[in-house]
Amino acid sequence: MASEEELFANIDALLEEEPQLPPPAERARLREAAGITQARLAQALKSTVQTVKNYENGRSEPKSPRLEAYQRLLKGWAAKYPAHAGSAPAVAPQQEVPQTFTRVPTVEEDEAEPDIGVAVKPVPERPARPAGRPASSRRPASKKAAKPAVDPRFPHGPLAVLDGDGSAYAVGGVVLDCPATTVVELVEWTLRESGLGAAKLNRYGKDSDPLIVLTAAAAVKLGLPERLEGHEQRRSLRLPEDHPVVMQVAKAKWQLTQRGFGPWARIYRKAQGRDRQCVQLAVLSWDALDERSWTGVVEMEPADIARVLGVYAQRVITPRGSTAVSGLELMTALRPPTKAVQDPATGNWVSGHNAGSLGTEPMDPAPPEATPEHPVVVNSGWTGGFLNEEAYQWVRSVDTLSDEECALPWAVGLDLNTAFLAAAARLVVGLSGPDHFHAPKFNPKIPGSWLADLSHIELDPRLPSPFTPDGSRPTGPAWYQTHTLAYAQELGYDVHPIEAYLRRETGAYLDPWHDRLKTAYVDTLADMGVTRDLSDTEFLAAMEHHKEKDPGLAAVLSAIKATVKGGVGKLRERPQGKHYKEGETWPALARPTWRPDIRAAVISKARVNMHRKLNNMVKMTGLYPLAVLSDCVVYPSPGESPLDFLPYAASGKPQPGGFRLGPTPGLAKLEGVQQMLWAVDLMEKGLNPARHIKGGDAVLDEGE
């Protein structure tokens, strides 16, 4: 019989063993149940995505101290998401809203499934014969050229800029000979010989079609007019159907998409199996690249244009139109609506829904989430009001300024980096259609629209109300997105919704979109010398001249920011054109990504984030803002630098909770400095100092 000493020794040995983790499959299940991507988990563990994949397929195990941190996380998730938990019960009107609805997990790829579409026959690689000219140029690209694509199917990268002499400038300084003299010849050369294109961003998605950007000289050489003429909006202009080039395309049995041959044209034939036959054309002299998004790009040499667009394509997506269109396309590319699933009855692989995506069919919004001209509103006679979740446009009343504030010499503007992108992080949104509830109990975990009366809440008039875009106090019942009501609860007020439109299936749909754009933004800033390891003083100095160091990368950065705001705006694209009549459908409504509720969730969270920082600044510094415009806030300051009023601990580290300087989304940078008397003068006139703090007339861009 074992002695007590032996038994104690055995127990001590067990206690000294490494912490035990659940099986690999359970680790993946818990993470998916929590709606967390492998990329986000890797970031939290300060590891790599491949390492996390190895943890979840059993190829490797974490070591201390990462082991203990991972175990703690998994234990927390296991308590919240036990295995075999039942789905949420159905909820009828007049009943209490359940604590949680069904969360659709963030799906990572199952390595056992074949990487196919519905068709299963193997696809031959697209031939990619390099042209005879060596990879050099009479006008070489900048020394910081984008790296060539590594996919062997696309050796020359995602795109090329074609000049009038037949030189096609690709990424990495490569120049190809393009013998095409017609648009049809250009399309066929691109698909058969150019070696252009880009691999899909998700295994269930599609490869990006090659993009050919035409200079004015190239357009004329191919038989296109140098400029598109017309009286309508520039972006809606297109060649008439009887134009010789359009007729040539049709005669060669190629097709144009419904938007026709405009600044961004897509020329295609029906796919054979999975072998796509599609080329994008962008005509520079037809204003394909908006100067507001692509600052200074049109004036660049073709090789430098290729470099700028190539960096954007490799870090974000091959441009598909405006930056707004590209932002929306990126969402779908990262969350494809379908994937291959095996039919249990036949064993065949068929197209099925990809969990966590928005699906393939458009979805009607709840009436308060729609716009006044939407068919859902017009046909139902809805008069119950609308969701008004917009960015801040608030100016403080001059009557609330103290003598001490007026005596401060400077007004300093802070701008939050890509505030909408920061708001998209870990944002749970609805994936299914809205259900109507009467007198529901508020649940801050469920995305939706709630009718509630917040007019009884009285806050400091020196701060904007967190509940309205203009910062005014609510005057009665109004519709609010979940984050706005949740913030009222956070401030200590009871919330009693009158009715609500809620969604049963939810998920962090925008997480991959956020992760990719955040990485693109931070990496591009780092290439311009603005890195995360800089002190606040060094950061301000680097930001002062970062655009001058590399105009090409400055243009990429501008385009990334425009992609964020434009992509969010496209979620609620309004009808365009003077011939539209209220109650008619418009083209955007045919998209599954026409989701005004998701747009409202992003903007609501961004505005709440802004107010929370404003509130914390009062607690930490006693300072109140003068004005807020979207993601820009203006403060009175004793000095010309944010360092003169931002809160810092005795150690010199920034205080958490307020505004902090830095290059990542959600952190702040200096927007501009003016004299305090200048700001007060504008405020007395009812104008917003945040709009003019840079020294020019800034235009508020809410992504519309």
Side-chain angles (χ1 to χ4, degrees):
M1 184 174 179
S3 66
E4 181 180 276
E5 184 176 355
E6 289 174 324
L7 290 173
F8 276 19
N10 291 340
I11 295 301
D12 289 340
L14 289 175
L15 291 174
E16 290 173 2
E17 285 187 5
E18 288 189 340
Q20 295 298 304
L21 296 173
E26 177 66 0
R27 303 170 199 174
R29 184 195 72 80
L30 289 171
R31 176 185 54 72
E32 292 175 354
I36 302 298
T37 64
Q38 289 180 328
R40 185 166 297 284
L41 178 54
Q43 185 180 23
L45 293 174
K46 297 193 179 302
S47 184
T48 65
V49 174
Q50 186 58 53
T51 299
V52 170
K53 288 183 178 180
N54 290 344
Y55 294 168
E56 294 183 355
N57 59 31
R59 291 175 185 164
S60 67
E61 297 290 335
K63 303 297 182 185
S64 185
R66 191 170 285 119
L67 171 63
E68 290 77 12
Y70 191 35
Q71 183 195 42
R72 180 179 180 184
L73 177 66
L74 294 174
K75 281 185 176 179
W77 282 344
K80 292 175 67 177
Y81 311 106
H84 312 300
S87 59
V91 180
Q94 306 292 345
Q95 291 184 336
E96 182 176 310
V97 175
Q99 288 301 306
T100 57
F101 275 22
T102 304
R103 175 190 292 275
V104 175
T106 301
V107 178
E108 300 294 338
E109 286 65 53
D110 181 355
E111 295 297 327
E113 291 188 8
D115 183 11
I116 60 171
V118 177
V120 295
K121 67 178 183 179
V123 181
E125 288 190 359
R126 179 183 294 166
R129 299 197 304 272
R133 181 183 298 185
S136 61
S137 171
R138 296 184 303 279
R139 293 174 289 194
S142 169
K143 60 183 179 181
K144 284 189 179 179
K147 294 180 180 179
V150 296
D151 193 308
R153 297 172 300 158
F154 313 115
H156 298 137
L159 55 88
V161 180
L162 181 63
D163 208 352
D165 63 356
S167 300
Y169 297 83
V171 299
V174 172
V175 184
L176 307 173
D177 273 326
C178 176
T181 58
T182 67
V183 168
V184 171
E185 289 176 357
L186 174 61
V187 169
E188 294 176 348
W189 172 83
T190 302
L191 291 175
R192 296 173 183 172
E193 300 186 40
S194 70
L196 296 173
K200 54 196 173 188
L201 299 180
N202 181 291
R203 70 172 309 201
Y204 302 126
K206 301 173 182 176
D207 293 336
S208 289
D209 300 315
L211 169 64
I212 301 293
V213 181
L214 304 179
T215 65
V220 171
K221 178 182 177 181
L222 296 172
L224 299 169
E226 184 173 344
R227 299 287 301 176
L228 267 184
E229 301 300 335
H231 300 290
E232 296 186 34
Q233 291 180 326
R234 173 67 57 186
R235 60 184 170 184
S236 66
L237 292 179
R238 62 196 68 188
L239 292 179
E241 292 185 3
D242 60 354
H243 189 278
V245 171
V246 177
M247 297 176 69
Q248 287 170 12
V249 169
K251 184 177 180 181
K253 306 249 186 286
W254 290 96
Q255 299 180 57
L256 291 162
T257 56
Q258 288 186 346
R259 62 182 173 184
F261 206 125
W264 289 89
R266 297 180 66 79
I267 302 175
Y268 71 99
R269 281 181 182 150
K270 189 174 180 180
Q272 299 176 354
R274 290 191 320 167
D275 194 8
R276 290 175 61 80
Q277 299 185 84
C278 183
V279 174
Q280 303 177 86
L281 299 181
V283 188
L284 292 176
S285 57
W286 294 3
D287 298 332
L289 298 181
D290 191 323
E291 174 66 19
R292 293 170 297 179
S293 304
W294 298 97
T295 309
V297 174
V298 176
E299 290 78 26
M300 294 180 180
E301 296 292 338
D304 294 317
I305 296 175
R307 176 202 170 219
V308 169
L309 296 180
V311 172
Y312 178 89
Q314 291 166 349
R315 292 183 176 177
V316 181
I317 192 173
T318 303
R320 297 283 300 270
S322 67
T323 48
V325 169
S326 296
L328 200 66
E329 292 284 348
L330 181 63
M331 295 179 195
T332 304
L334 294 168
R335 292 276 200 192
T338 61
K339 68 175 182 178
V341 296
Q342 196 165 28
D343 185 337
T346 65
N348 295 331
W349 289 93
V350 297
S351 180
H353 175 64
N354 185 20
S357 76
L358 298 183
T360 59
E361 297 300 321
M363 186 180 297
D364 278 342
E369 297 167 348
T371 55
E373 67 272 13
H374 194 285
V376 162
V377 174
V378 176
N379 295 339
S380 67
W382 173 262
T383 58
F386 297 96
L387 207 59
N388 187 26
E389 298 288 8
E390 303 295 341
Y392 267 135
Q393 296 191 59
W394 172 80
V395 180
R396 184 172 155 194
S397 170
V398 291
D399 296 337
T400 65
L401 292 174
S402 67
D403 293 341
E404 291 79 5
E405 287 175 312
C406 291
L408 291 171
W410 301 104
V412 177
L414 292 176
D415 179 70
L416 296 183
N417 303 320
T418 56
F420 288 173
L421 185 61
R426 301 181 297 281
L427 177 67
V428 177
V429 300
L431 300 178
S432 57
D435 290 329
H436 193 195
F437 299 87
H438 293 279
K441 180 180 178 182
F442 178 65
N443 188 329
K445 295 182 180 179
I446 299 177
S449 304
W450 310 74
L451 180 64
D453 190 347
L454 303 181
S455 60
H456 63 285
I457 300 178
E458 185 173 0
L459 300 175
D460 195 314
R462 292 171 291 181
L463 288 177
S465 167
F467 312 125
T468 60
D470 64 1
S472 61
R473 181 176 173 177
T475 57
W479 289 95
Y480 299 100
Q481 202 277 335
T482 299
H483 281 89
T484 304
L485 280 195
Y487 188 57
Q489 269 194 344
E490 182 182 324
L491 294 175
Y493 297 95
D494 290 334
V495 174
H496 301 288
I498 302 166
E499 59 179 303
Y501 286 91
L502 309 176
R503 287 170 165 78
R504 296 180 180 276
E505 292 184 7
T506 66
Y509 172 72
L510 292 175
D511 255 12
W513 186 80
H514 163 271
D515 292 348
R516 186 166 177 86
L517 284 167
K518 176 184 177 181
T519 300
Y521 182 83
V522 171
D523 287 354
T524 304
L525 263 181
D527 287 346
M528 301 167 75
V530 186
T531 56
R532 286 189 273 194
D533 58 350
L534 298 177
S535 68
D536 284 1
T537 302
E538 293 169 335
F539 169 74
L540 290 172
M543 286 297 293
E544 193 171 351
H545 302 291
H546 73 291
K547 293 182 180 179
E548 302 165 11
K549 290 185 177 180
D550 192 325
L553 287 179
V556 174
L557 193 68
S558 171
I560 292 171
K561 292 188 286 187
T563 301
V564 172
K565 285 194 173 181
V568 171
K570 277 282 185 181
L571 292 168
R572 197 193 68 166
E573 184 176 358
R574 305 289 287 269
Q576 300 165 10
K578 59 185 177 182
H579 302 297
Y580 173 77
K581 294 181 180 179
E582 196 173 76
E584 294 178 344
T585 60
W586 59 94
L589 299 187
R591 297 193 314 249
T593 48
W594 197 87
R595 290 293 302 273
D597 57 301
I598 296 180
R599 173 188 178 273
V602 173
I603 298 177
S604 168
K605 186 179 174 184
R607 198 182 66 246
V608 164
N609 286 348
M610 172 66 83
H611 192 276
R612 188 180 290 111
K613 292 179 188 295
L614 297 173
N615 216 15
N616 288 337
M617 284 287 288
V618 173
K619 297 174 184 176
M620 291 186 284
T621 68
L623 284 177
Y624 292 85
L626 302 177
V628 184
L629 186 76
S630 189
D631 47 12
C632 177
V633 57
V634 178
Y635 273 102
S637 172
E640 297 181 67
S641 170
L643 302 176
D644 294 317
F645 65 89
L646 290 179
Y648 290 87
S651 64
K653 292 186 177 181
Q655 292 276 32
F659 294 100
R660 297 174 55 190
L661 300 175
T664 55
L667 298 187
K669 59 181 179 292
L670 177 63
E671 179 74 359
V673 183
Q674 300 287 343
Q675 291 185 350
M676 182 66 176
L677 290 176
W678 168 90
V680 174
D681 182 55
L682 286 181
M683 294 166 68
E684 288 176 339
K685 296 175 181 176
L687 301 176
N688 194 320
R691 186 182 296 276
H692 308 279
I693 194 73
K694 262 189 173 181
D697 285 348
V699 177
L700 175 65
D701 179 5
E702 296 180 42
E704 299 289 17

